[in-house]
Amino acid sequence: MFDWLRERRRRRLVEDHPIPDDRWATILDRNPLLDRLADTELDHLRHMATVFARERFFEPGGEMVIDDLVRETIATLACLPVLHLGLDWLDALRTVIVYPGEFTPEIEEMDEAGVVHVRRETRSGEAWHGGPMVLSWEDVAASGPLDGYNPVVHEIAHVLDGRNGHVNGFPPLPQGIDSARWTRDFEAAWDHLDRLERTGVPDEDLPLDPYALEAPEEFFAVATECFFERPDHLQAVFPEVYRQLQAFYRGPVALHA
Ligand SMILES: [Zn+2]
């Protein structure tokens, strides 16, 4: 579609069907990570979330009933990472499937002999490039406390990561970010976390959720969750990763102070 037409339609959406004041207040109240945003950022986020909530197809999984609050909460959290990058970064994400709780998709894997095995694994969220984002509402609703856990932000990190065709912890980097330095900083943090985990440091004492060590893309997603949920903590434990993510996400602006 022509960009100007899309922009005009989006402007009309924001003018005619904005997230109403009462629901926006509820969303802010339940998601204290939004407290860090400047007023102008919050206005912008509300506009983006209005567009996302109306343009994306929300599909219930299981017995889920998707109401406006569910749709707009997920839209707000999905737009937070792209607040300064722009909604275009989420163009590949057309569908959001929401289950009431954890879900167990069938996962197909090919072994070394080329035989495909199907297994089931319980999950609270998943996303892959060009596919839907799948979420557990119970987990989204539980992501209020600023503990570094935020399944929507996590899955959106995977969507951004895959924008260059590969989900590997290396998203398309905006101008001004040196790719060699990005790799070096993330590898150093990975090695540090890996060392601590191997020496038997309990999970709760590790600087980052050890799920980050599952794969480079998980490290990027878990670090992104921490960046938006506990930026002070991330800055203290992995200052280089924090700096890279700040350069990548370009905000919240208050964090630049
Ligand atoms: Zn993940």
Side-chain angles (χ1 to χ4, degrees):
M1 193 188 303
F2 295 114
D3 271 359
W4 63 266
L5 193 56
R6 182 164 83 168
E7 287 315 310
R8 198 167 66 180
R9 209 189 53 206
R10 285 179 171 178
R11 260 202 312 278
R12 201 166 293 159
L13 262 180
V14 169
E15 281 164 16
D16 296 348
H17 306 285
I19 298 174
D21 288 346
D22 56 338
R23 282 208 298 276
W24 184 242
T26 302
I27 292 168
L28 294 185
D29 195 45
R30 291 184 184 174
N31 295 280
L33 81 170
L34 304 174
D35 290 352
R36 292 197 189 87
L37 272 57
D39 288 347
T40 49
E41 288 182 306
L42 280 175
D43 287 345
H44 189 44
L45 183 65
R46 188 173 175 177
H47 292 171
M48 287 174 98
T50 296
V51 171
F52 186 95
R54 304 287 179 272
E55 282 188 352
R56 266 48 176 196
F57 183 62
F58 281 74
E59 189 181 311
E63 301 294 304
M64 185 69 194
V65 176
I66 297 179
D67 60 18
D68 288 329
L69 184 62
V70 169
R71 200 190 319 266
E72 289 162 1
T73 299
I74 291 171
T76 302
L77 294 170
C79 290
L80 175 63
V82 296
L83 184 62
H84 295 282
L85 292 171
L87 211 44
D88 291 355
W89 278 69
L90 300 184
D91 272 353
L93 175 60
R94 307 305 313 160
T95 303
V96 181
I97 301 173
V98 192
Y99 283 85
E102 287 184 327
F103 49 95
T104 47
E106 286 188 345
I107 298 156
E108 289 191 353
E109 278 174 344
M110 194 183 286
D111 66 17
E112 285 168 8
V115 179
V116 174
H117 299 268
V118 177
R119 64 184 171 88
R120 299 183 76 91
E121 191 178 277
T122 301
R123 297 199 169 164
S124 57
E126 68 176 22
W128 59 94
H129 188 65
M133 173 165 72
V134 193
L135 295 164
S136 146
W137 174 247
E138 193 183 8
D139 288 80
V140 175
S143 58
L146 300 172
D147 56 2
Y149 178 66
N150 198 299
V152 181
V153 169
H154 180 105
E155 300 309 329
I156 290 296
H158 287 322
V159 174
L160 305 180
D161 186 351
R163 203 167 183 244
N164 51 10
H166 311 278
V167 181
N168 55 4
F170 194 83
L173 297 176
Q175 264 190 345
I177 300 183
D178 181 77
S179 58
R181 176 107 200 257
W182 174 282
T183 304
R184 202 177 64 224
D185 288 345
F186 273 86
E187 275 181 3
W190 169 291
D191 289 343
H192 181 64
L193 184 64
D194 189 46
R195 229 175 1 256
L196 292 176
E197 205 219 10
R198 281 171 196 275
T199 53
V201 175
D203 284 2
E204 60 273 21
D205 293 336
L206 290 172
L208 206 59
D209 183 337
Y211 185 69
L213 296 171
E214 290 278 314
E217 59 269 29
E218 296 305 343
F219 196 99
F220 173 65
V222 171
T224 292
E225 279 178 271
C226 196
F227 176 76
F228 286 102
E229 286 254 321
R230 304 177 66 200
D232 296 345
H233 174 77
L234 187 66
Q235 190 173 23
V237 295
F238 290 129
E240 283 78 19
V241 167
Y242 172 84
R243 255 196 302 279
Q244 294 290 2
L245 292 180
Q246 197 183 51
F248 180 70
Y249 290 111
R250 301 178 216 166
V253 287
L255 292 179
H256 291 295

